[in-house]
Amino acid sequence: MPLSPLHIETPLLRTAADYSASGLPLWLKLDALQPSGSFKLRGVGLLCQHEVAKGAREIFCASGGNAGIAAAVAGKALGVPVTIVVPETTSPEVRTRIAATGASVLVHGSVFDEANAHAVALAAERKAAYVHPYDHPLLWEGHATLIDEVVKAGAEFDCVVTSVGGGGLLAGIVEGLRRNGLRDIPVMAVETEGAASLNAAVAAKERVTLPAITSIAVSLGARQVAQHVFDLLETHPIESVTVTDAEAVAACLKFADAHRVLVEPACGAALAVADVHADRLSRYKAPLIEVCGGIGVSLAALEAWRARFL
Ligand SMILES: *Cc1c(COP(=O)(O)O)cnc(C)c1O
């Protein structure tokens, strides 16, 4: 018996053609409305369910925010304690939001890699399950449900636009396309300058590690993409593009005004493509944009970014 999912089926909207410079009506998949505030509950929820079904009595996850709160929401639904290890860079607001779910929040290290190493060690020591934020086949399988939903809704689309951090979401989208017989549909993979580890890997033709993350889109701040994601460049049509932080913020503001929903700059990056890379997008007829969401945003944060960038 398949486990019933912890994520919800999210709305799919269609914009007017004049919504963006692309001149195309856009399909928007509103994963910002997941109970965890982002798509991450899809994969993290599935992974946590499997771990608990295998006997895990405790869950550890390292995260800058959205994977952590997804693990916290999943753990709560499954009735197991969850500990989220966040780096010092995770804002007090995000720490508070994660803690509000009942999860323990530990602050460790100045960057994600340090927080992650600590979470791995703690999980091993306590014989608990460890949940990676983007590098696990069950995460990709869970994220793939977003494509299942769009297909089930009967929406016809001919390209998918998504943000990329470590690449778990991208891998899930490719998995979803494949399992729905849509392996020819290309994916536009979007990063912000300063967090563009996939873009750097495409240019170098090998996986590279960025020296630092300098973008405000912290949810895209994986210094290196997963090996599986790098390998997908060979087997799926994937186009890597970048936008600036300012462009990502502008897209968040435009989206908030149009749809009355706040999303992180990490998500604004994907939304920005319809204006910033309108020429590339207009090679297609019906793009689908994954509105991945994120909890690292507030009215105050958006105002501050507006003041800084626009
Ligand atoms: C995690 C996350 C991403 C990036 O996902 P990856 O699987 O790391 O590529 C993008 N946007 C938001 C809001 C996220 O939480």
mmCIF file of all heavy atoms in Angstrom, residues 57-92:
data_model
loop_
_atom_site.group_PDB
_atom_site.id
_atom_site.type_symbol
_atom_site.label_atom_id
_atom_site.label_comp_id
_atom_site.label_asym_id
_atom_site.label_seq_id
_atom_site.Cartn_x
_atom_site.Cartn_y
_atom_site.Cartn_z
ATOM 1 N N ARG A 57 13.140 6.463 14.664
ATOM 2 C CA ARG A 57 12.342 7.030 15.757
ATOM 3 C C ARG A 57 12.703 8.481 15.999
ATOM 4 O O ARG A 57 12.217 9.119 16.929
ATOM 5 C CB ARG A 57 12.549 6.208 17.018
ATOM 6 C CG ARG A 57 12.309 4.727 16.679
ATOM 7 C CD ARG A 57 12.292 3.838 17.852
ATOM 8 N NE ARG A 57 11.362 4.310 18.863
ATOM 9 C CZ ARG A 57 11.132 3.643 19.978
ATOM 10 N NH1 ARG A 57 11.748 2.519 20.198
ATOM 11 N NH2 ARG A 57 10.296 4.108 20.879
ATOM 12 N N GLU A 58 13.565 9.007 15.134
ATOM 13 C CA GLU A 58 14.011 10.390 15.278
ATOM 14 C C GLU A 58 14.562 10.831 13.923
ATOM 15 O O GLU A 58 15.109 10.008 13.190
ATOM 16 C CB GLU A 58 15.121 10.426 16.330
ATOM 17 C CG GLU A 58 15.334 11.751 16.961
ATOM 18 C CD GLU A 58 16.485 11.700 17.980
ATOM 19 O OE1 GLU A 58 16.980 10.612 18.305
ATOM 20 O OE2 GLU A 58 16.893 12.785 18.398
ATOM 21 N N ILE A 59 14.417 12.112 13.602
ATOM 22 C CA ILE A 59 14.873 12.607 12.298
ATOM 23 C C ILE A 59 15.796 13.807 12.490
ATOM 24 O O ILE A 59 15.489 14.712 13.276
ATOM 25 C CB ILE A 59 13.666 13.006 11.414
ATOM 26 C CG1 ILE A 59 12.834 11.764 11.048
ATOM 27 C CG2 ILE A 59 14.123 13.737 10.146
ATOM 28 C CD1 ILE A 59 11.490 12.082 10.418
ATOM 29 N N PHE A 60 16.905 13.792 11.759
ATOM 30 C CA PHE A 60 17.810 14.949 11.714
ATOM 31 C C PHE A 60 17.883 15.480 10.292
ATOM 32 O O PHE A 60 17.949 14.704 9.333
ATOM 33 C CB PHE A 60 19.229 14.563 12.167
ATOM 34 C CG PHE A 60 19.357 14.434 13.651
ATOM 35 C CD1 PHE A 60 18.956 13.276 14.296
ATOM 36 C CD2 PHE A 60 19.858 15.483 14.409
ATOM 37 C CE1 PHE A 60 19.048 13.160 15.674
ATOM 38 C CE2 PHE A 60 19.959 15.375 15.793
ATOM 39 C CZ PHE A 60 19.550 14.216 16.424
ATOM 40 N N CYS A 61 17.896 16.784 10.170
ATOM 41 C CA CYS A 61 18.006 17.394 8.839
ATOM 42 C C CYS A 61 18.844 18.655 8.977
ATOM 43 O O CYS A 61 18.705 19.398 9.947
ATOM 44 C CB CYS A 61 16.606 17.733 8.321
ATOM 45 S SG CYS A 61 16.570 18.643 6.766
ATOM 46 N N ALA A 62 19.716 18.885 8.007
ATOM 47 C CA ALA A 62 20.467 20.137 7.967
ATOM 48 C C ALA A 62 19.850 20.987 6.875
ATOM 49 O O ALA A 62 19.504 20.473 5.811
ATOM 50 C CB ALA A 62 21.928 19.879 7.650
ATOM 51 N N SER A 63 19.705 22.274 7.150
ATOM 52 C CA SER A 63 18.979 23.088 6.193
ATOM 53 C C SER A 63 19.170 24.554 6.496
ATOM 54 O O SER A 63 19.326 24.949 7.637
ATOM 55 C CB SER A 63 17.493 22.747 6.292
ATOM 56 O OG SER A 63 16.703 23.720 5.667
ATOM 57 N N GLY A 64 19.125 25.371 5.434
ATOM 58 C CA GLY A 64 19.073 26.807 5.647
ATOM 59 C C GLY A 64 17.659 27.268 5.930
ATOM 60 O O GLY A 64 17.424 28.423 6.226
ATOM 61 N N GLY A 65 16.690 26.376 5.819
ATOM 62 C CA GLY A 65 15.323 26.795 6.110
ATOM 63 C C GLY A 65 14.235 25.873 5.595
ATOM 64 O O GLY A 65 13.555 25.205 6.374
ATOM 65 N N ASN A 66 14.066 25.816 4.282
ATOM 66 C CA ASN A 66 12.863 25.183 3.743
ATOM 67 C C ASN A 66 12.845 23.661 3.829
ATOM 68 O O ASN A 66 11.787 23.071 4.025
ATOM 69 C CB ASN A 66 12.632 25.635 2.307
ATOM 70 C CG ASN A 66 12.294 27.112 2.254
ATOM 71 O OD1 ASN A 66 11.480 27.587 3.041
ATOM 72 N ND2 ASN A 66 12.941 27.849 1.361
ATOM 73 N N ALA A 67 13.995 23.020 3.686
ATOM 74 C CA ALA A 67 14.025 21.564 3.876
ATOM 75 C C ALA A 67 13.789 21.268 5.351
ATOM 76 O O ALA A 67 13.105 20.308 5.703
ATOM 77 C CB ALA A 67 15.355 20.985 3.419
ATOM 78 N N GLY A 68 14.339 22.127 6.197
ATOM 79 C CA GLY A 68 14.183 21.936 7.640
ATOM 80 C C GLY A 68 12.737 22.022 8.071
ATOM 81 O O GLY A 68 12.246 21.161 8.812
ATOM 82 N N ILE A 69 12.049 23.036 7.605
ATOM 83 C CA ILE A 69 10.652 23.156 8.048
ATOM 84 C C ILE A 69 9.807 22.048 7.423
ATOM 85 O O ILE A 69 8.855 21.563 8.047
ATOM 86 C CB ILE A 69 10.082 24.568 7.807
ATOM 87 C CG1 ILE A 69 8.797 24.722 8.651
ATOM 88 C CG2 ILE A 69 9.832 24.878 6.353
ATOM 89 C CD1 ILE A 69 8.400 26.141 8.926
ATOM 90 N N ALA A 70 10.181 21.597 6.247
ATOM 91 C CA ALA A 70 9.459 20.466 5.644
ATOM 92 C C ALA A 70 9.660 19.210 6.494
ATOM 93 O O ALA A 70 8.703 18.472 6.766
ATOM 94 C CB ALA A 70 9.926 20.221 4.209
ATOM 95 N N ALA A 71 10.891 18.971 6.945
ATOM 96 C CA ALA A 71 11.155 17.808 7.805
ATOM 97 C C ALA A 71 10.406 17.946 9.127
ATOM 98 O O ALA A 71 9.888 16.969 9.670
ATOM 99 C CB ALA A 71 12.652 17.653 8.053
ATOM 100 N N ALA A 72 10.333 19.180 9.622
ATOM 101 C CA ALA A 72 9.629 19.424 10.883
ATOM 102 C C ALA A 72 8.133 19.131 10.735
ATOM 103 O O ALA A 72 7.524 18.487 11.589
ATOM 104 C CB ALA A 72 9.855 20.866 11.335
ATOM 105 N N VAL A 73 7.548 19.603 9.639
ATOM 106 C CA VAL A 73 6.124 19.358 9.372
ATOM 107 C C VAL A 73 5.876 17.861 9.199
ATOM 108 O O VAL A 73 4.910 17.296 9.720
ATOM 109 C CB VAL A 73 5.666 20.156 8.119
ATOM 110 C CG1 VAL A 73 4.287 19.721 7.655
ATOM 111 C CG2 VAL A 73 5.685 21.660 8.416
ATOM 112 N N ALA A 74 6.781 17.194 8.474
ATOM 113 C CA ALA A 74 6.646 15.751 8.236
ATOM 114 C C ALA A 74 6.764 14.983 9.550
ATOM 115 O O ALA A 74 5.953 14.103 9.843
ATOM 116 C CB ALA A 74 7.703 15.276 7.240
ATOM 117 N N GLY A 75 7.770 15.333 10.353
ATOM 118 C CA GLY A 75 7.986 14.642 11.626
ATOM 119 C C GLY A 75 6.786 14.781 12.544
ATOM 120 O O GLY A 75 6.371 13.828 13.212
ATOM 121 N N LYS A 76 6.209 15.966 12.531
ATOM 122 C CA LYS A 76 5.039 16.199 13.372
ATOM 123 C C LYS A 76 3.880 15.297 12.929
ATOM 124 O O LYS A 76 3.228 14.653 13.755
ATOM 125 C CB LYS A 76 4.637 17.674 13.278
ATOM 126 C CG LYS A 76 3.560 18.028 14.250
ATOM 127 C CD LYS A 76 3.405 19.525 14.397
ATOM 128 C CE LYS A 76 2.524 19.811 15.597
ATOM 129 N NZ LYS A 76 2.106 21.186 15.666
ATOM 130 N N ALA A 77 3.660 15.228 11.627
ATOM 131 C CA ALA A 77 2.576 14.387 11.100
ATOM 132 C C ALA A 77 2.833 12.910 11.413
ATOM 133 O O ALA A 77 1.897 12.141 11.622
ATOM 134 C CB ALA A 77 2.433 14.594 9.595
ATOM 135 N N LEU A 78 4.109 12.538 11.443
ATOM 136 C CA LEU A 78 4.465 11.134 11.649
ATOM 137 C C LEU A 78 4.667 10.785 13.128
ATOM 138 O O LEU A 78 4.878 9.625 13.474
ATOM 139 C CB LEU A 78 5.746 10.805 10.862
ATOM 140 C CG LEU A 78 5.618 10.936 9.336
ATOM 141 C CD1 LEU A 78 7.002 10.944 8.674
ATOM 142 C CD2 LEU A 78 4.768 9.811 8.758
ATOM 143 N N GLY A 79 4.646 11.827 13.971
ATOM 144 C CA GLY A 79 4.779 11.595 15.405
ATOM 145 C C GLY A 79 6.182 11.241 15.872
ATOM 146 O O GLY A 79 6.352 10.518 16.851
ATOM 147 N N VAL A 80 7.205 11.739 15.161
ATOM 148 C CA VAL A 80 8.585 11.498 15.618
ATOM 149 C C VAL A 80 9.290 12.838 15.845
ATOM 150 O O VAL A 80 9.018 13.805 15.134
ATOM 151 C CB VAL A 80 9.421 10.667 14.608
ATOM 152 C CG1 VAL A 80 8.867 9.264 14.469
ATOM 153 C CG2 VAL A 80 9.494 11.347 13.256
ATOM 154 N N PRO A 81 10.176 12.902 16.838
ATOM 155 C CA PRO A 81 10.900 14.148 17.091
ATOM 156 C C PRO A 81 11.876 14.478 15.954
ATOM 157 O O PRO A 81 12.480 13.579 15.355
ATOM 158 C CB PRO A 81 11.648 13.883 18.401
ATOM 159 C CG PRO A 81 11.630 12.412 18.605
ATOM 160 C CD PRO A 81 10.496 11.843 17.807
ATOM 161 N N VAL A 82 12.012 15.758 15.680
ATOM 162 C CA VAL A 82 12.860 16.220 14.575
ATOM 163 C C VAL A 82 13.829 17.273 15.100
ATOM 164 O O VAL A 82 13.442 18.151 15.877
ATOM 165 C CB VAL A 82 11.987 16.846 13.459
ATOM 166 C CG1 VAL A 82 12.859 17.366 12.324
ATOM 167 C CG2 VAL A 82 10.981 15.838 12.934
ATOM 168 N N THR A 83 15.078 17.167 14.668
ATOM 169 C CA THR A 83 16.069 18.195 14.980
ATOM 170 C C THR A 83 16.591 18.777 13.672
ATOM 171 O O THR A 83 17.019 18.027 12.782
ATOM 172 C CB THR A 83 17.254 17.618 15.780
ATOM 173 O OG1 THR A 83 16.749 17.028 16.972
ATOM 174 C CG2 THR A 83 18.266 18.708 16.129
ATOM 175 N N ILE A 84 16.541 20.093 13.556
ATOM 176 C CA ILE A 84 17.029 20.764 12.360
ATOM 177 C C ILE A 84 18.304 21.514 12.717
ATOM 178 O O ILE A 84 18.307 22.319 13.650
ATOM 179 C CB ILE A 84 15.985 21.782 11.822
ATOM 180 C CG1 ILE A 84 14.599 21.146 11.705
ATOM 181 C CG2 ILE A 84 16.460 22.364 10.484
ATOM 182 C CD1 ILE A 84 14.510 19.943 10.819
ATOM 183 N N VAL A 85 19.375 21.232 11.977
ATOM 184 C CA VAL A 85 20.631 21.942 12.198
ATOM 185 C C VAL A 85 20.747 23.032 11.141
ATOM 186 O O VAL A 85 20.744 22.748 9.940
ATOM 187 C CB VAL A 85 21.844 20.990 12.121
ATOM 188 C CG1 VAL A 85 23.122 21.734 12.511
ATOM 189 C CG2 VAL A 85 21.641 19.768 13.018
ATOM 190 N N VAL A 86 20.798 24.268 11.590
ATOM 191 C CA VAL A 86 20.901 25.391 10.650
ATOM 192 C C VAL A 86 22.239 26.098 10.837
ATOM 193 O O VAL A 86 22.771 26.141 11.948
ATOM 194 C CB VAL A 86 19.753 26.426 10.838
ATOM 195 C CG1 VAL A 86 18.389 25.778 10.630
ATOM 196 C CG2 VAL A 86 19.820 27.096 12.206
ATOM 197 N N PRO A 87 22.807 26.655 9.768
ATOM 198 C CA PRO A 87 24.021 27.451 9.923
ATOM 199 C C PRO A 87 23.684 28.826 10.514
ATOM 200 O O PRO A 87 22.520 29.236 10.524
ATOM 201 C CB PRO A 87 24.543 27.597 8.494
ATOM 202 C CG PRO A 87 23.353 27.416 7.616
ATOM 203 C CD PRO A 87 22.384 26.541 8.363
ATOM 204 N N GLU A 88 24.719 29.502 11.006
ATOM 205 C CA GLU A 88 24.521 30.824 11.624
ATOM 206 C C GLU A 88 23.847 31.817 10.684
ATOM 207 O O GLU A 88 23.219 32.778 11.134
ATOM 208 C CB GLU A 88 25.886 31.394 12.079
ATOM 209 C CG GLU A 88 26.412 30.721 13.334
ATOM 210 C CD GLU A 88 27.942 30.660 13.365
ATOM 211 O OE1 GLU A 88 28.592 31.369 12.568
ATOM 212 O OE2 GLU A 88 28.469 29.875 14.182
ATOM 213 N N THR A 89 23.976 31.592 9.385
ATOM 214 C CA THR A 89 23.408 32.530 8.408
ATOM 215 C C THR A 89 21.881 32.462 8.327
ATOM 216 O O THR A 89 21.256 33.349 7.747
ATOM 217 C CB THR A 89 23.967 32.227 7.004
ATOM 218 O OG1 THR A 89 23.919 30.809 6.804
ATOM 219 C CG2 THR A 89 25.397 32.700 6.849
ATOM 220 N N THR A 90 21.288 31.407 8.879
ATOM 221 C CA THR A 90 19.823 31.307 8.847
ATOM 222 C C THR A 90 19.232 32.359 9.781
ATOM 223 O O THR A 90 19.629 32.458 10.944
ATOM 224 C CB THR A 90 19.384 29.884 9.258
ATOM 225 O OG1 THR A 90 19.887 28.976 8.286
ATOM 226 C CG2 THR A 90 17.871 29.763 9.306
ATOM 227 N N SER A 91 18.294 33.142 9.267
ATOM 228 C CA SER A 91 17.790 34.300 10.011
ATOM 229 C C SER A 91 17.018 33.876 11.260
ATOM 230 O O SER A 91 16.456 32.777 11.313
ATOM 231 C CB SER A 91 16.877 35.133 9.115
ATOM 232 O OG SER A 91 15.658 34.453 8.913
ATOM 233 N N PRO A 92 16.973 34.757 12.264
ATOM 234 C CA PRO A 92 16.193 34.477 13.474
ATOM 235 C C PRO A 92 14.719 34.190 13.149
ATOM 236 O O PRO A 92 14.103 33.320 13.776
ATOM 237 C CB PRO A 92 16.315 35.761 14.287
ATOM 238 C CG PRO A 92 17.542 36.445 13.775
ATOM 239 C CD PRO A 92 17.698 36.032 12.350
#
